[in-house]
Amino acid sequence: MTSMSNDAGPMDPAANGPLTIAGESFNSRLIMGTGGAPSLLGLEAALKESGTELTTVALRRVQAGTEGSIWEMLQSNGIRALPNTAGCFTANEAVLTAKLGREACETTWVKLEVIADDTTLLPDPIELVAAARILVDDGFTVLPYTNDDPILARKLADVGCAAIMPLGAPIGTGLGVLNPRNIAAIVADATVPVILDAGIGTASDAALAMELGCDAVLLATAVTRAAEPVRMARAMRHAVEAGRDAYLAGRIPRREQALASSPTTGRANLDLAL
Amino acid sequence: MSTHVVINGERVAVDGTPSVGDLVAHQLGASAPDGRGVAVAVNSEVVPRGAWASTLVADGDHVEILNATQGG
């Protein structure tokens, strides 16, 4: 096990297959969240272009007179809804919200978020593990949004989470993958799929996450708040596919010094005329 | 007589002794008549969809009626 296992390429033949979480397979390794879109129609177009088969939704109070239902839109496009616990600060709140999500979306899957405060939006690791343990025991398939901390990732897998979703950078920042070595370390240690969640700003960020060996990328605002969301959705789809292929292909080792790719033997003597 | 409950943070007086199903129908109007994509908690306990019709609310109950909406 090495912290730079991405340089050596994947060893697991199953890596060539589809993304599999808790026994369910997905052809797309891009999970697109629905947050931040100004309109339901625009969101639908971006989701379709992204090719995503799984998308996050939040649970909020019903408001009379809101346009259409995101639930119906997802149903009609065959996209599976993954309810989240966004906005929860304690394990208790998150557990109740997860149960409401299970009711509303008719799924035992939950994107578990327990954040520490409104400023950083960083996960509260202690409440997160507590909530994960309760939900796993209650039969949920738990996908926790977590810090890019390899030890915390291991703890979450130990309590039975179905995937680990470390942040690349804080939610909504678009700063990309701030600590690629930690992400690579989480991947190297992981016994469940690793999904890079949060912080993606543009296509190269998503490609890098996949090159590091992540099994999938989850992003929302990088698409929904782009100037042209549908075009960015397409870019992200290509980036995730390209990054996955690059990871599977096995990149060349980094070298300190140049190495010619043309033969060094058989060169003509062309300096006579100079 | 009417029952006074708090629905999504607002105090509401409802005729008679309403069920959770009555409150959902009132809150949703025609937008989601079957209640799919919707979840309800009464006093921080989830009420499964199958029990909406048979669960009556009482004075002072806090009812949260939520639906799936956009979110990361």
Side-chain angles (χ1 to χ4, degrees):
Chain A
M1 197 175 297
T2 156
S3 64
M4 295 304 289
S5 63
N6 56 308
D7 280 8
M11 300 300 161
D12 179 5
N16 284 303
L19 169 66
T20 304
I21 304 169
E24 303 219 16
S25 294
F26 301 89
N27 290 314
S28 170
R29 291 177 179 270
L30 173 58
I31 302 171
M32 203 189 122
T34 61
S39 83
L40 199 57
L41 268 181
L43 174 65
E44 181 174 21
L47 283 170
K48 287 162 88 165
E49 188 68 24
S50 77
T52 194
E53 296 162 84
L54 181 66
T55 189
T56 57
V57 294
L59 272 292
R60 290 294 180 268
R61 286 171 168 173
V62 165
Q63 290 187 317
T66 49
E67 58 153 343
S69 150
I70 193 165
W71 169 260
E72 285 164 18
M73 185 271 279
L74 295 178
Q75 294 279 106
S76 68
N77 285 291
I79 301 172
R80 184 172 170 152
L82 175 64
N84 69 24
T85 62
C88 292
F89 293 92
T90 66
N92 284 343
E93 268 184 290
V95 167
L96 177 57
T97 304
K99 290 177 178 173
L100 287 163
R102 178 170 61 183
E103 265 304 298
C105 299
E106 301 166 24
T107 175
T108 57
W109 288 35
V110 61
K111 173 183 169 180
L112 179 62
E113 295 182 53
V114 191
I115 55 171
D117 63 57
D118 263 335
T119 308
T120 66
L121 301 179
L122 288 171
D124 180 325
I126 294 163
E127 295 292 313
L128 180 65
V129 174
R133 193 188 305 270
I134 294 166
L135 290 170
V136 167
D137 288 348
D138 196 20
F140 279 86
T141 294
V142 180
L143 292 76
Y145 163 66
T146 178
N147 292 293
D148 58 358
D149 174 350
I151 305 307
L152 179 55
R154 188 187 302 162
K155 299 281 182 193
L156 289 164
D158 285 348
V159 301
C161 290
I164 302 297
M165 305 210 294
L167 55 81
I171 292 170
T173 60
L175 291 172
V177 182
L178 293 181
N179 197 337
R181 285 173 186 267
N182 268 25
I183 298 299
I186 290 171
V187 168
D189 193 45
T191 52
V192 293
V194 176
I195 301 168
L196 197 289
D197 182 4
I200 298 291
T202 189
S204 54
D205 301 330
L208 172 60
M210 297 304 291
E211 288 171 14
L212 291 168
C214 290
D215 295 280
V217 167
L218 198 168
L219 57 86
T221 53
V223 165
T224 58
R225 292 187 178 143
E228 289 187 54
V230 171
R231 188 184 291 266
M232 186 60 90
R234 182 164 67 244
M236 292 300 184
R237 171 162 53 86
H238 291 316
V240 166
E241 288 173 3
R244 182 65 179 175
D245 264 339
Y247 170 69
L248 294 176
R251 58 152 299 151
I252 60 168
R254 292 174 173 86
R255 297 171 51 92
E256 290 301 320
Q257 292 181 325
L259 177 66
S261 60
S262 301
T264 53
T265 56
R267 282 180 295 184
N269 187 355
L270 299 176
D271 63 355
L272 298 175
L274 298 179
Chain B
M1 73 159 253
S2 54
T3 304
H4 297 266
V5 293
V6 179
I7 303 176
N8 287 353
E10 286 186 29
R11 287 192 62 84
V12 179
V14 190
D15 288 341
T17 307
S19 68
V20 168
D22 295 332
L23 298 184
V24 171
H26 172 262
Q27 198 75 8
L28 291 181
S31 61
D34 59 357
R36 294 191 74 199
V38 176
V40 180
V42 176
N43 302 330
S44 300
E45 290 287 335
V46 178
V47 181
R49 185 172 295 108
W52 286 357
S54 59
T55 303
L56 303 181
V57 293
D59 268 326
D61 278 352
H62 283 254
V63 182
E64 293 285 340
I65 303 175
L66 309 180
N67 64 356
T69 183
Q70 289 180 30

